[in-house]
Amino acid sequence: MADVTNPENEGDLQAQIEEVEALSSIYGEEWCVIDEASRIFCIKISDDLEEPKLTACLQIILPYDYPSAAPPIYQINAAWLRGPERTRLANSLEDLYVENVGESILYLWVEKVREFLLEKSQSSETVEQPEKVNMTAEEEVDDPEDIPDFKTLQLNTEHAHLFMDHANDEELPPINHGNAITDRRSTFQPHLAPVVTPRQVKMVLGKLYENKKIASATHNIYAYRIYCEDKHSFLQDCEDDGETAAGGRLLHLLQILDVRNVMVVVSRWYGGILLGPDRFKHINNCARNILVEQGYTAAMDEATKSGAKTKRPKSKKTK
């Protein structure tokens, strides 16, 4: 991670110190320091301090050049938050950043998330156990892979600029839809798009969620890998969307196949019958099929036939 004590960034460091002190004073025990040296923090946000119905955890990394030139890198953890709602909240946070470029933004973000939770809890969509929203009985057993790993937040902030919204001229990548697999009334369908920036990932997700059928899927699991030529490393991430550990397995498939600059989304419509481990097989088979159909595995297949061994660039997971 870049050195936050660089003299050129003393102004940003002082602004961060003052902002963190203020937030700690305002939110008390809700505010948590994960790694002060790496500028990693977390805050638990709820819709009501006395009788919370909905909660979310906002994890934050402060880049060395925040707030003057870069936005905070963030992740929202909430089992009930999925699909279009997650996208809508993320967009509202990034809109706030754009409106306040160069200024401390965390307090506005926290209160925006709280406002979102309050709106959600007051809507007719609220359920008594939000943590179980959109989860089938197959996922109700705790899985260690589903526990947030704060270490994954300690990414190099040299990639932070890729998350900034200064690429409004970017075009929506073409989205391909693969053949569906149906098993015991559950249906799985893959979608694929070439991507070279995290913003394009968001654009693809937004476009997919415009389709009412896809938006209504029980889970929309996705993973992507973007190769950064200048750093000789990968920018990659994944999302379970309630299907515990599925996103990580999908990302692992992309890593094994050594594909790059691509995102794969697998939609699952749950049919009421538990599939057990077979669901992961169908998700990965869907993904592999569409990667093969679109030619993303050709290079690896050729290398396998020739017995060639390739040196893989290091990977960085974003959140």
Side-chain angles (χ1 to χ4, degrees), residues 75-95:
Q75 173 181 315
I76 303 171
N77 285 328
W80 55 269
L81 184 63
R82 63 175 297 274
E85 288 186 330
R86 180 179 289 275
T87 300
R88 181 162 63 90
L89 179 55
N91 287 341
S92 66
L93 296 185
E94 289 167 27
D95 287 343

Side-chain angles (χ1 to χ4, degrees), residues 38 47 68 85 117 136 154 164 168 180 188 196 214 221 238 249 258 265 278 284 298 314:
S38 298
D47 60 322
S68 68
E85 288 186 330
L117 298 184
T136 67
Q154 300 182 35
M164 297 182 67
N168 291 325
F188 303 79
V196 293
I214 294 174
I221 305 108
C238 60
R249 291 169 187 254
D258 198 22
V265 182
D278 283 350
N284 276 15
K314 59 184 179 180

Side-chain angles (χ1 to χ4, degrees), residues 136-138 185-187 217-219 268-275:
T136 67
E138 293 174 309
R185 297 192 299 184
S186 277
T187 299
T218 314
H219 311 286
R268 180 195 181 183
W269 291 269
Y270 179 58
I273 299 175
L274 304 183
L275 302 186

Side-chain angles (χ1 to χ4, degrees), residues 45-48 51-56 78-86 88-89 111-134 215:
I45 308 169
S46 59
D47 60 322
D48 188 300
E51 298 181 0
K53 296 179 181 178
L54 294 175
T55 60
W80 55 269
L81 184 63
R82 63 175 297 274
E85 288 186 330
R86 180 179 289 275
R88 181 162 63 90
L89 179 55
E111 292 309 309
K112 174 58 72 173
V113 173
R114 196 184 307 280
E115 177 185 316
F116 183 90
L117 298 184
L118 184 59
E119 176 186 327
K120 172 70 176 173
S121 68
Q122 293 176 343
S123 73
S124 58
E125 298 174 359
T126 305
V127 294
E128 293 182 0
Q129 292 183 306
E131 68 276 11
K132 297 295 182 183
V133 168
N134 209 36

Side-chain angles (χ1 to χ4, degrees), residues 14-209:
Q14 185 59 37
Q16 290 182 23
I17 291 173
E18 293 174 359
E19 184 175 21
V20 167
E21 287 179 351
L23 292 171
S24 178
S25 175
I26 293 170
Y27 297 113
E29 294 182 356
E30 293 182 327
W31 178 262
C32 177
V33 178
I34 304 301
D35 186 337
E36 188 167 8
S38 298
R39 315 304 290 161
I40 303 175
F41 307 93
C42 178
I43 181 167
K44 181 180 179 181
I45 308 169
S46 59
D47 60 322
D48 188 300
L49 297 178
E50 299 298 328
E51 298 181 0
K53 296 179 181 178
L54 294 175
T55 60
C57 178
L58 180 63
Q59 301 169 2
I60 296 289
I61 299 177
L62 300 181
Y64 69 95
D65 50 355
Y66 164 81
S68 68
I73 299 172
Y74 71 94
Q75 173 181 315
I76 303 171
N77 285 328
W80 55 269
L81 184 63
R82 63 175 297 274
E85 288 186 330
R86 180 179 289 275
T87 300
R88 181 162 63 90
L89 179 55
N91 287 341
S92 66
L93 296 185
E94 289 167 27
D95 287 343
L96 271 178
Y97 172 74
V98 171
E99 294 167 5
N100 298 274
V101 170
E103 300 176 14
S104 297
I105 195 70
L106 296 185
Y107 176 78
L108 294 178
W109 274 11
V110 172
E111 292 309 309
K112 174 58 72 173
V113 173
R114 196 184 307 280
E115 177 185 316
F116 183 90
L117 298 184
L118 184 59
E119 176 186 327
K120 172 70 176 173
S121 68
Q122 293 176 343
S123 73
S124 58
E125 298 174 359
T126 305
V127 294
E128 293 182 0
Q129 292 183 306
E131 68 276 11
K132 297 295 182 183
V133 168
N134 209 36
M135 294 180 68
T136 67
E138 293 174 309
E139 291 82 55
E140 291 182 3
V141 178
D142 288 339
D143 189 313
E145 293 186 50
D146 195 40
I147 299 173
D149 179 4
F150 292 118
K151 292 181 181 178
T152 63
L153 292 175
Q154 300 182 35
L155 73 162
N156 192 321
T157 55
E158 65 195 4
H159 292 303
H161 68 284
L162 294 174
F163 291 85
M164 297 182 67
D165 193 10
H166 44 199
N168 291 325
D169 57 340
E170 287 189 51
E171 294 184 0
L172 173 70
I175 302 174
N176 298 284
H177 307 281
N179 295 324
I181 294 175
T182 300
D183 180 11
R184 286 162 280 179
R185 297 192 299 184
S186 277
T187 299
F188 303 79
Q189 183 180 24
H191 321 280
L192 178 150
V195 294
V196 293
T197 68
R199 175 166 174 75
Q200 286 186 323
V201 171
K202 287 177 54 182
M203 293 169 70
V204 170
L205 289 173
K207 185 62 177 179
L208 286 174
Y209 283 127

Side-chain angles (χ1 to χ4, degrees), residues 2-10 13:
D3 183 4
V4 296
T5 62
N6 188 314
E8 295 180 1
N9 301 303
E10 286 183 357
L13 178 58

